[in-house]
Amino acid sequence: MARFARETLKKAATLLIVALAVLAALVIWDSYVTAPWTRDGSVRVQVARIASQVSGQITEVRVVDNQYVHQGDVLYVIDPFDFQVALNTDKAQLRQKAADQQVRQMQAERRQHLSNLATTPEEQQLYAGNAIQAQAAFDAAQQQVAQADINLKRTQVRSPVNGYVTNLLMRVGDYAQAGTNNISVIDADSYWIDGYFEETKMAHVCVGDRAEAALMGYRDPIVGRIQTVTRGISVSNATPSTQGLPNVDPVYTWVRLAQRVPVRIKITDLPAGIPLVSGMTATVTIRGSDARESGGTLRQRFASLGHHLVDIIRGPQPSPHCVPRSGDENGATVTLPTPKPVAPLNPEQINPGLAPGLNTSPRAASRSDGRH
C-alpha cells in the first residue's frame, strides 16, 4: 500500500512539474511574442524651424543656445535702417497722393456744380476720371505703407512657440536670407513618445489604453495614454526599380519578420527629475484600459494572464472599436496669427483742412462769403 502511494505521488509530482513547465512556456511565449510591450520606443518632439521673412544683416542676437523662450519673444534683430527709410518714403508718398486726390476730387465736384454755360460734359467727365485715378493711386499708396510697416516689424524675428533654442549657430553680423531657416526652437508643449510595436502585438493595442514608458537610466516610468496608431509604413516592394518595374524582394515562408507599427503615446504624468530629451530610448508597456495607476490588483493580473493564454491557444482577438476606422477621426487645425490689413484712411485724415467745403457748390460758397 505504501509502495502504491509512493508511485502515485511520483506520477502526480511529474505531472505537476510538466504542467508548470507548460504554463511557464506559455507565459514566456506570451511575454515575448504577444504581450503588448516593446523596447523600441523613443521620445519625440516638434521643432519650429524659423526663418526670417525679410533679408538683412543680423545686428542683435537676444538668445543663447538651450535657452527657454516664450511665444512672442524676440530671437534676433535684422538691421532696420533700410526698412525704416522705405516706410518713411511710402508715408511721404501717401501724403502726396492724399493731397492730389483731395485737389482732384474738389475740382471734379466743382465742375459738377457748374452750369452748362461754364463747363461742358466732356470737361466734367475728364475731371471725374482724374479724381478716380487719384483715388486709385491713393489706395495703392496705403497698401505700400502697410507693406513697409509690416516689413519693419518683421526685422524682429520672434518665437512662434514656447520652447528651447537648440543648436544655435548664428552670430551677430551674419546675413539672414528671407525664407532660409537659421534658428530652431523645440516646442516644449509637444513632447510625446513613439512606441514601435510588432504587428503580432497590435491586437492588444487600443486607443485610450494606459501606457508606461521606462527611459534608460531612470527608475520611475512615464505614464501616458495611447493617442493614435500610425496608418502607414514604408513598403520596400513598392519602390520602382529599373524601367519602372516593381522591386520585389524574395520572401522565405519559414522566416517572416514582423513589421513594426508606430504608436503615439500622449504623456499624462511625468515624474519629477526626468528631463525630456527628444531621441531618448524607452521601453513601452501597454497596461490596458482597466489597469490602475499602481499597475492593477493581483486578481486583475491573473485575469489578464488568463486572457493572454486564451489568445495564445485560439489566436488574438481584437476588441471592437479599439482603433477608429479610417476616416472616423477629424484632424485638428493649428493656425499661426498673421497680420491683418489696416483699415483704409480718408484723405482728409491725412491732410486735414486742405480742401474745406469740398461738397459745397461755388454759388453757395459765394453767397456765404457775401453775408460775411
Side-chain angles (χ1 to χ4, degrees):
M1 188 68 181
R3 183 177 180 180
F4 177 76
R6 288 195 299 269
E7 292 294 334
T8 303
L9 183 60
K10 290 180 179 179
K11 291 181 180 180
T14 302
L15 293 177
L16 179 61
I17 293 174
V18 171
L20 292 176
V22 172
L23 180 61
L26 292 177
V27 170
I28 295 175
W29 175 269
D30 171 69
S31 177
Y32 282 93
V33 178
T34 62
W37 71 277
T38 178
R39 288 193 178 96
D40 192 4
S42 62
V43 180
R44 300 285 306 279
V45 74
Q46 295 282 354
V47 179
R49 295 174 294 176
I50 303 169
S52 62
Q53 295 180 277
V54 295
S55 299
Q57 188 180 38
I58 298 175
T59 58
E60 185 179 356
V61 178
R62 298 188 181 180
V63 293
V64 296
D65 196 22
N66 297 323
Q67 177 181 338
Y68 184 84
V69 294
H70 296 88
Q71 183 178 10
D73 288 351
V74 177
L75 303 176
Y76 62 91
V77 179
I78 297 174
D79 187 3
F81 179 80
D82 295 340
F83 302 96
Q84 185 66 59
V85 170
L87 177 60
N88 295 339
T89 302
D90 290 338
K91 285 183 177 180
Q93 292 180 353
L94 178 62
R95 290 193 298 269
Q96 177 185 359
K97 300 297 183 182
D100 183 62
Q101 191 276 342
Q102 288 173 290
V103 171
R104 293 183 182 274
Q105 183 67 28
M106 181 176 59
Q107 291 174 345
E109 290 288 341
R110 286 176 177 174
R111 294 307 185 278
Q112 294 297 327
H113 291 92
L114 293 177
S115 64
N116 293 335
L117 297 176
T119 184
T120 62
E122 181 181 0
E123 187 179 32
Q124 292 176 343
Q125 294 174 357
L126 178 62
Y127 277 92
N130 292 338
I132 294 175
Q133 294 178 9
Q135 180 65 43
F138 172 74
D139 293 339
Q142 286 197 84
Q143 299 303 318
Q144 291 176 356
V145 170
Q147 183 65 62
D149 181 65
I150 193 63
N151 286 341
L152 178 61
K153 294 178 180 178
R154 286 171 177 171
T155 57
Q156 294 186 345
V157 180
R158 301 177 181 272
S159 174
V161 296
N162 301 320
Y164 299 90
V165 178
T166 182
N167 195 27
L168 181 64
L169 300 177
M170 70 161 55
R171 53 165 294 174
V172 172
D174 289 348
Y175 189 85
Q177 190 71 34
T180 302
N181 300 328
N182 51 18
I183 190 171
S184 299
V185 177
I186 293 177
D187 188 354
D189 302 323
S190 67
Y191 280 96
W192 79 93
I193 295 177
D194 268 347
Y196 304 97
F197 289 85
E198 296 178 353
E199 55 184 323
T200 56
K201 302 180 180 182
M202 290 303 297
H204 300 289
V205 175
C206 187
V207 173
D209 280 357
R210 183 174 183 267
E212 294 180 358
L215 301 179
M216 295 180 61
Y218 296 94
R219 180 188 62 184
D220 297 330
I222 299 173
V223 180
R225 296 283 177 179
I226 297 179
Q227 187 176 24
T228 57
V229 176
T230 299
R231 296 310 181 99
I233 57 177
S234 177
V235 179
S236 59
N237 291 338
T239 305
S241 183
T242 307
Q243 298 179 345
L245 301 178
N247 183 17
V248 181
D249 296 330
V251 177
Y252 300 97
T253 56
W254 62 87
V255 179
R256 297 184 63 186
L257 299 179
Q259 295 285 356
R260 292 184 177 268
V261 179
V263 176
R264 175 173 289 206
I265 297 171
K266 180 180 179 181
I267 299 175
T268 58
D269 184 16
L270 179 64
I274 296 182
L276 287 179
V277 179
S278 179
M280 296 179 71
T281 57
T283 299
V284 182
T285 304
I286 307 301
R287 296 299 184 186
S289 59
D290 56 347
R292 297 182 180 177
E293 296 299 323
S294 62
T297 62
L298 184 62
R299 183 176 182 180
Q300 289 174 333
R301 293 183 179 181
F302 276 113
S304 177
L305 178 60
H307 290 308
H308 288 175
L309 294 179
V310 172
D311 290 342
I312 294 175
I313 299 174
R314 302 176 55 184
Q317 298 294 325
S319 301
H321 310 295
C322 190
V323 178
R325 297 177 301 175
S326 298
D328 287 354
E329 295 178 307
N330 295 323
T333 302
V334 180
T335 59
L336 183 68
T338 56
K340 296 181 179 180
V342 295
L345 299 176
N346 190 291
E348 183 67 21
Q349 296 176 282
I350 299 176
N351 298 316
L354 179 63
L358 181 63
N359 297 325
T360 305
S361 65
R363 295 178 181 177
S366 61
R367 287 195 298 268
S368 176
D369 294 338
R371 286 195 296 267
H372 292 290

